Amino acid sequence: MELLEKKKWIKSNKQIFFHLQYHPEDPPARDIQKLWTDLVAEPTGERPLHEMKNMDGHRVGFNNLVVAYSRPLNLRN
């Protein structure tokens, strides 16, 4: 595996994808990501998520939330 491919693979495996159907009244992705960071990934006074270990003793490693929108169904679907 080339170095660039390996870096992309490592980076992509540290991301969590949050899939939701787009709605214009939903909060912006940046607000969802801010809540993720403040409440889950790096809560104040707590150990960051990426430093925690899972049940097998391996670090969780997630450090990035990607908000992935899908379009709502329309008449063609």
Side-chain angles (χ1 to χ4, degrees):
M1 183 181 299
E2 289 184 35
L3 183 60
L4 183 58
E5 287 177 14
K6 188 173 183 178
K7 285 182 180 181
K8 285 182 182 180
W9 183 84
I10 290 170
K11 183 178 180 184
S12 69
N13 283 318
K14 293 185 177 190
Q15 297 175 339
I16 294 178
F17 287 84
F18 179 49
H19 295 267
L20 68 155
Q21 188 173 1
Y22 176 79
H23 189 279
E25 294 180 13
D26 284 344
R30 69 178 172 272
D31 291 350
I32 296 170
Q33 290 168 332
K34 175 92 170 98
L35 286 169
W36 158 263
T37 300
D38 294 347
L39 301 174
V40 179
E42 299 174 10
T44 305
E46 300 290 331
R47 184 186 316 186
L49 179 64
H50 69 274
E51 292 180 4
M52 293 184 180
K53 294 184 178 180
N54 64 17
M55 294 171 52
D56 296 325
H58 301 285
R59 284 192 177 211
V60 174
F62 297 118
N63 60 4
N64 190 27
L65 177 73
V66 176
V67 180
Y69 291 105
S70 62
R71 67 176 179 81
L73 296 177
N74 60 31
L75 295 176
R76 289 187 178 191
N77 298 50

